[in-house]
Amino acid sequence: MSVEMSDDPQATPRAIEGRAPDVFRPGGWVPMRCHRDEDAVDFVIVGTGAGGGTLACKLAEYGFSVVALDAGPYFRPLEDFASDESEQTKLYWTDDRISDGANPLQLGSNNSGKAVGGSTVHFAMVSLRFRPEWFKSRTLLGYGADWPIDWREMWNYYTEVEQALKISGPITYPWGPKRPRYPYRAHPLNAAARVLAKGCEALGVSWTETPLATLSAPRGLAHPCVYRGFCVAGCSTNAKQSALVTWIPRALAAGAEIRDLAMVGRIEVDDDDLVSGVHYHRGGRWHFQRARNVVVAGYAIETPRLLLNSATDRHRDGLANSSGLVGKNLMTQSNQAVWGLMDDEIRSYKGPPSLAITEHWNYQDKGKDFFGGYAYMSQGPLPQLWANTLAQARGLWGARLVEEMTNYNHVAGLKIVGEMLPQERNRVTLADEVDQYGLRIPRVTYSWCDNDRRLIDHSLAFMTRALEAAGAKDIWTQDDDTCHLNGTARMGDDPRASVVDADCRSWDIPNLWICDGSVFPTVGGVNPSLTIQAIACRTADRIRAMARRGELTGQRATGTRTAAHATSASS
Amino acid sequence: MSNDTDWLVGAGLALSAIAATAMLQPRPRTSPSPAPARLPPRTGPHPRASVRAARRLNRAAGMLAASVLADSSVEHYRGSFKNKAMVTPLAVSALTLAMSAHGTADRRPWAHRLRDGSYLLAAATGLIGTGFHVYNVTKKVGGFSWQNLFYGAPLGAPMAILLSGLLGFCSERVRDTSRARRPHVFGLPAARTIAAVTAAGLLGTSGEAGLLHFRGAFHNPFMAVPVTLPPLGAALLFNAAARDPDDDATRAHPLTRAWMWLLAAMGFIGIGFHAYGVSRNMGGWRNWSQNILAGPPLPAPPSFTGLALAGLAALGLMREHPDA
Ligand SMILES: Cc1cc2nc3c(=O)[nH]c(=O)nc-3n(C[C@H](O)[C@H](O)[C@H](O)COP(=O)(O)OP(=O)(O)OC[C@H]3O[C@@H](n4cnc5c(N)ncnc54)[C@H](O)[C@@H]3O)c2cc1C
Ligand code: SF4
């Protein structure tokens, strides 16, 4: 009863005393199994986004005891989300960070979230599979690094995630190997999407409806999409199939505990070089949760930051860092756009922002002067974002900005998600400054390479032609935007050249795992969340298989370490 | 836009022409006070049976027209009556509904000129409407694609008013030939012709429901009902239509009749399911003004009821007229 004192999810934790918010009912609650700090649980997971949320669900369903901590609040979208861009900045990770390099990243809204559900709470729902060759891009395409996973295995995990999120997509997908039918049908195209389609048809390349993680028909208590376009400010209808309304409720039902407003500051390592739990800040003080395994899933900046911040005398460079690669090979994705004005009203903000897509340049290798690929999609910026874009990218202000805003309803745009190459100089390190918890803040260093630039130039030239062909006038290019964060703890076959193995298990510490966008060796030209979730599903299956064979006891199957911690997994 | 206006004018002219021809057609036998002496001698069963069947058909046509009236009002309102021709189905279905009500009440054994004209108008509207809808779908980027079939103008929808018109027209023929040895439509045995038309209508309507329920990913298992029961009903009706008319033992068709009642009920229960579907949209019924447009169409399922009633009328006629 004392829990009713404050219901500000950003001020007071909600998931306490045996219950967690019911995301489907205003003011509602669901029961939650709780663990005591001193009881070692099978898995502590740091972060509840695409990686952590998915893994928490799957591991709990496999019978492991799970506590998943998130630094962010536990929202009920139906009552906590406003149709107001400014209000919804509460979804972003805006803690202090230093951003530098030749092309410093703009951190916050377009790349990181802080909430139970992680960045998926305000992501744009585009749910794409990798091109199969990208899993072996070094061997097959001559750039980047190979993944230690076969694409055919990933194909099955993609299917699992698409089913779990009831992805709505086209009946037939024009590119890549056959995939099963999407569980829900594609959404109706808005006028902005039809501009993309017209451009593609004029230039003779395929296009299709974008597979999206938002409902085109009801699902349980979640409503179908209402096409109001607030997606990247948080979806207040629950149509968006974020981790918050999909994996997390399943995780709770399966017995996982979620702790909101719980910032993990350090992972504890014992004298046997095994992790034993995490120190986390919640309700104004530090706690220590004991665990047999720790999974880090804080996304590509917070994950390496936590590993680096957990350095000890025996692990001076941070945990899992014998390769020296923790924090390195950070990859964002190019997010350049071409904008123009159409004679007809477009009202591009009606509906999810990216209803139509072409992956032509992901699958076509001829005619490229660069490695990698890009997809481009139709756009639907909300007014405040659009005014910001005009101010920043075109330097408009005052009367000129106001005048340009009167064209808002006629704007159509095409925007890429482009592959950037992994470079060790693009990295996350620790700055000397500390944040509100007294933890050293991350320094994010980013510079494009020539290949990145060539890809961007190619895309801008192609999209300009496409937009012209669709009948747009006053075309201009926005050439500095980036989105998504990956890398910084890459997976691989070689302990000297990677941080984790194919199972997301760290090479150095067998009961420390990393399961989020950080493990990507390359990013490809598609948005990453479907792949992150597929990896998490695979990791859960691998963990279950290892537990059954007794290989989770702090020991690798082929390793020489002595067992120190037994896992009590029941499955 | 001028293109659309041309369409509108053309369609309007065509419709008036058809209606005018139908109404001006001389009809001596339908004069208000026909002398009983001029009636042809009775050779078959009592004409009352035919008139009863005809009235049932008027009722079925009215049911379909009501469904079209409600459905096209909602859907074309949703489309903001962007093209002026979009009011046509409202006007025509309203007229057809009124005429059908008139026919249902009318016990006289001869066709009615105004009803006949309006039924032909309805049928023509259905045909032309289909043309409009095909045009709407194919002119969209992507052309004849799933996207446009799902979200463009529904290709099957105008068929409902076409069916209403056809059934109504058949009804008038049945009345007109009620004193003949056997009721017929253009020389074809009436009951079996109507059964076949109704069966085809059931298949088409079921196809339309199938397309839209596929769009909804059959997310509720009950969404499979209107794509399984009606085709079976159509098969039963076709079977009845194809039976040897002289075989007295098979004229009752109890299973087919029961199936038609089942479909009639399904149409009404479908409204309930669609109402539930509306409630599952954001805001539920409290937000009715938006959700009636966003959710599954409430007036659509009763078109099955209309067709089932037509099937029953045909079966009734078949039972009473061995040769119909
Ligand atoms: C505006 C926007 C649009 C996007 N659109 C798309 C899209 O359309 N399609 C797509 O595939 N991807 C999209 N993405 C990217 C996608 O959301 C991310 O790639 C994905 O969510 C990353 O998953 P993750 O598990 O690695 O991290 P996240 O989902 O970000 O989850 C990390 C969580 O960890 C928590 N955390 C971090 N550190 C700590 C700590 N020390 N202690 C406790 N908790 C911690 C954070 O609060 C956060 O909730 C978008 C992202 C943004 C920001
Ligand atoms: S457009 Fe759809 S997915 Fe986006 S916020 Fe609105 S309801 Fe949610």
Side-chain angles (χ1 to χ4, degrees), chain B:
Chain B
M1 190 61 222
S2 70
N3 211 341
D4 286 352
T5 328
D6 292 347
W7 266 91
L8 183 69
V9 174
L13 283 177
L15 290 187
S16 351
I18 293 166
T21 333
M23 301 207 187
L24 294 177
Q25 196 187 336
R27 275 291 158 79
R29 274 182 296 131
T30 56
S31 59
S33 53
R38 277 197 270 143
L39 286 175
R42 265 179 56 188
T43 51
H46 199 278
R48 249 192 323 226
S50 296
V51 173
R52 191 161 55 228
R55 289 171 55 215
R56 286 185 185 143
L57 284 168
N58 286 127
R59 185 176 57 185
M63 189 75 212
L64 276 166
S67 166
V68 171
L69 176 58
D71 202 29
S72 64
S73 305
V74 174
E75 296 299 322
H76 286 187
Y77 166 71
R78 184 170 186 228
S80 314
F81 292 98
K82 218 166 154 188
N83 182 327
K84 286 192 211 89
M86 288 164 82
V87 296
T88 314
L90 277 67
V92 172
S93 58
L95 178 68
T96 314
L97 179 57
M99 288 298 128
S100 301
H102 179 262
T104 312
D106 184 1
R107 294 164 186 278
R108 289 171 298 179
W110 44 77
H112 187 280
R113 191 186 292 180
L114 213 58
R115 285 205 303 263
D116 243 350
S118 80
Y119 282 134
L120 280 176
L121 180 68
T125 306
L127 280 177
I128 294 171
T130 304
F132 264 98
H133 283 205
V134 169
Y135 170 68
N136 174 289
V137 163
T138 50
K139 80 167 184 205
K140 286 205 156 92
V141 62
F144 216 75
S145 58
W146 285 106
Q147 165 73 216
N148 293 337
L149 286 177
F150 286 155
Y151 299 111
L155 291 190
M159 293 292 181
I161 190 70
L162 169 66
L163 279 170
S164 170
L166 279 182
L167 290 173
F169 185 75
C170 288
S171 151
E172 298 304 307
R173 301 288 77 66
V174 169
R175 267 183 214 263
D176 241 8
T177 53
S178 59
R179 284 147 298 143
R181 205 182 55 78
R182 58 184 183 98
H184 59 89
V185 178
F186 294 133
L188 297 169
R192 287 186 282 144
T193 307
I194 295 166
V197 168
T198 307
L202 278 175
L203 284 181
T205 310
S206 188
E208 169 93 352
L211 177 73
L212 295 178
H213 286 191
F214 179 52
R215 180 180 94 183
F218 288 96
H219 66 86
N220 183 327
F222 285 103
M223 291 165 84
V225 173
V227 297
T228 41
L229 297 189
L232 289 173
L236 289 169
L237 271 184
F238 276 131
N239 183 43
R243 274 301 166 83
D244 179 0
D246 296 328
D247 185 353
D248 257 12
T250 60
R251 263 171 42 212
H253 301 295
L255 176 62
T256 313
R257 293 181 68 81
W259 205 270
M260 291 303 120
W261 282 116
L262 182 67
L263 292 184
M266 183 195 83
F268 271 111
I269 297 169
I271 306 180
F273 274 102
H274 281 203
Y276 171 62
V278 169
S279 80
R280 295 182 74 187
N281 284 268
M282 184 68 183
W285 273 99
R286 269 174 299 120
N287 188 18
W288 63 270
S289 63
Q290 266 183 321
N291 287 343
I292 280 188
L293 301 179
L298 292 175
S303 51
F304 284 112
T305 308
L307 286 166
L309 291 179
L312 283 168
L315 291 169
L317 194 58
M318 221 178 268
R319 185 166 56 186
E320 285 160 37
H321 270 288
D323 209 14

